[in-house]
Amino acid sequence: MELRPILSAMLRNRTGAVLVALQVAITMAVLVNAAFIINDRLQLLAQPAGVDVENIVSVLIYAFDPDYDWEGERKQDLEVLRNLPGVEAVTTMNSLPLSDSGWSSGWQLEDGNDESDVPSAMYMIDEFGLETLGMALLEGRWFREDEIKVLDLTSGSDFVDTVIVTESLAKKMFPEQSAVGMPLYTSTGETVTIVGVTSDVACPWPKFAIDEVGGLYMTTFLPARGAPPVARYVVRAEPGNAAALAAEVEKALTGRGTGRVVMDMKLHTEIVDETYGGDIAMIRMLVTVMVLLLAVTSLGVVGLASFNVRSRTKQIGTRRAVGARRRDILGYFLVENAVMTGIGVVLGTLLTFALNLWLVENYDLPRLDPTWVPLGVLGLLLLGQLATLAPARRASMIPPAVATRTI
């Protein structure tokens, strides 16, 4: 089929063709960037926490009494919790994986060398942490009871002597050898020794060190408890029993001890959902925008094709009378749409990268992977053909007699 008559017809009625091409270009720019952002967020949501999220419950204790027996009450609280039916293990922690709240710092591989600094999330945890979180010890050992310290970051208390790191952090710092037994240094001059390596556990922030391979799992465990007046108890329930156990944990803690408040009782699944709430809302919004844009673009293509069929009825009948087959008429309109859509996707490619550059500079979003552009091109070309198919088939059904009846 020759393109010249198709282009001539489009030039005679260029307004509709230009509008459809612009509509396709804008749709492609938004569609490709939205799909890329959705994929990025879905990958973020798919990152495992590395702990038994489904069966973990956490609660905060806030002591407002200045004479509160912090250490004694803590021991009694933990004993009460461990004796509750359905409890597998209990520990104390300053924060939880994917909770969006916590403490991070950096380790120096060489004392005093800031350039050797490696960022890490820091979890203060006790001797029961391994069992409670449900992670695996890959090398070395877990903390002993006599290593656990009360660590007050605001008062300059004695730092810990030993730490345990995740597999990703160990490989980052010591790629050619075992990390167990190796020293690490803080920026303030303390020295610690790695005594164990665990399976990967996520830090509190889903985008922590996002540009690093395994950055989410740059995590360190310290044998420590947080200083008063706040303590977090983390309880691991028997499988499938977390929701029912949460009420029992709150009841048990509220029923004993004075001069304090039991607060922020939550399932870990609820905490993770809150952390990802903004990302989930963004995905839903972008999906809605994509569906609406595709629907509007399809209607625009269908509307223009239907208009062209109605306005060219006599011309189509004449072509049929001089020997044009139905498939020739069908092919004519499909090719005409392909030309318009092709112009649109060429312009849309430029708009796609321009929009992504603007998003990167203004909203700190990831740079677009160019492989997504061909997918957008193919998708919109296919959409244009499908949207044109029904009007084109109606055109192909116009009988040759129409040409004589309209003379």
Side-chain angles (χ1 to χ4, degrees):
M1 181 177 295
E2 293 185 8
L3 290 177
R4 186 173 179 179
I6 294 176
L7 294 175
S8 298
M10 289 174 59
L11 289 174
R12 286 194 299 271
N13 187 26
R14 65 175 65 90
T15 302
V18 169
L19 289 176
V20 168
L22 288 175
Q23 191 175 34
V24 169
I26 294 171
T27 299
M28 178 177 169
V30 175
L31 196 68
V32 172
N33 278 283
F36 179 70
I37 293 172
I38 289 172
N39 180 71
D40 179 70
R41 290 299 184 271
L42 289 175
Q43 289 182 1
L44 194 69
L45 268 62
Q47 296 176 123
V51 300
D52 190 8
V53 173
E54 299 294 329
N55 298 305
I56 288 178
V57 177
S58 67
V59 61
L60 288 179
I61 302 295
Y62 175 76
F64 55 83
D65 187 347
D67 298 322
Y68 184 79
D69 180 10
W70 189 259
E71 191 62 21
E73 293 293 338
R74 181 194 62 79
K75 289 181 179 179
Q76 292 184 52
D77 285 341
L78 294 177
E79 186 65 25
V80 167
L81 293 177
R82 290 187 179 111
N83 288 327
L84 287 177
V87 172
E88 291 196 346
V90 184
T91 190
T92 58
M93 289 185 72
N94 62 315
S95 63
L96 284 167
L98 302 179
S99 63
D100 205 31
S101 176
W103 166 38
S104 68
S105 187
W107 296 117
Q108 293 180 0
L109 303 181
E110 300 175 8
D111 192 14
N113 183 1
D114 292 340
E115 294 183 358
S116 66
D117 185 84
V118 179
S120 173
M122 303 287 185
Y123 290 127
M124 292 187 284
I125 199 167
D126 66 17
E127 65 272 24
F128 299 100
L130 183 69
E131 181 183 2
T132 304
L133 295 184
M135 53 195 174
L137 184 64
L138 304 181
E139 291 185 71
R141 63 174 178 85
W142 191 251
F143 300 126
R144 301 187 301 264
E145 183 179 2
D146 61 297
E147 293 177 298
I148 311 300
K149 295 183 177 182
V150 175
L151 192 58
D152 188 350
L153 300 176
T154 63
S155 65
S157 60
D158 290 339
F159 203 62
V160 298
D161 300 312
T162 58
V163 297
I164 293 172
V165 299
T166 54
E167 184 179 17
S168 287
L169 184 56
K171 290 180 178 180
K172 172 70 175 180
M173 296 188 296
F174 305 102
E176 304 297 332
Q177 62 188 107
S178 172
V180 176
M182 301 301 293
L184 296 175
Y185 308 93
T186 68
S187 59
T188 54
E190 292 90 0
T191 304
V192 300
T193 301
I194 299 175
V195 297
V197 177
T198 70
S199 56
D200 281 340
V201 174
C203 72
W205 313 278
K207 297 180 183 178
F208 185 76
I210 196 69
D211 295 330
E212 294 280 352
V213 176
L216 178 68
Y217 305 105
M218 300 295 184
T219 302
T220 302
F221 297 98
L222 283 67
R225 301 185 186 97
V230 179
R232 183 191 303 274
Y233 300 144
V234 179
V235 182
R236 185 180 183 189
E238 293 176 350
N241 196 38
L245 184 62
E248 296 301 319
V249 168
E250 187 170 24
K251 180 180 178 180
L253 292 175
T254 304
R256 62 162 312 279
T258 59
R260 69 183 194 173
V261 176
V262 178
M263 54 191 291
D264 208 25
M265 167 66 69
K266 287 184 179 180
L267 303 177
H268 197 183
T269 51
E270 294 174 335
I271 294 174
V272 174
D273 288 343
E274 289 176 1
T275 299
Y276 286 128
D279 297 297
I280 294 172
M282 178 183 288
I283 290 173
R284 290 173 178 169
M285 180 191 70
L286 291 177
V287 168
T288 302
V289 170
M290 290 171 63
V291 171
L292 290 175
L293 271 177
L294 289 173
V296 170
T297 302
S298 298
L299 290 175
V301 172
V302 170
L304 180 62
S306 298
F307 172 78
N308 287 337
V309 170
R310 288 195 301 271
S311 62
R312 299 173 188 174
T313 300
K314 180 179 179 181
Q315 176 185 351
I316 295 169
T318 302
R319 289 193 60 192
R320 291 295 314 280
V322 297
R325 296 164 295 182
R326 288 180 176 178
R327 65 182 182 183
D328 295 327
I329 304 301
L330 180 69
Y332 176 92
F333 283 97
L334 291 178
V335 172
E336 183 180 58
N337 172 266
V339 172
M340 284 187 296
T341 307
I343 295 172
V345 296
V346 170
L347 180 59
T349 299
L350 300 177
L351 288 177
T352 298
F353 286 108
L355 177 59
N356 178 252
L357 182 61
W358 181 78
L359 292 172
V360 170
E361 292 180 349
N362 292 277
Y363 295 98
D364 196 30
L365 291 175
R367 194 171 294 278
L368 178 68
D369 182 351
T371 58
W372 283 78
V373 174
L375 295 177
V377 170
L378 292 175
L380 284 169
L381 287 174
L382 179 61
L383 176 70
Q385 294 294 285
L386 291 176
T388 309
L389 188 58
R393 289 190 63 186
R394 287 200 301 271
S396 68
M397 300 299 291
I398 294 174
V402 169
T404 60
R405 288 203 300 266
T406 57
I407 296 175

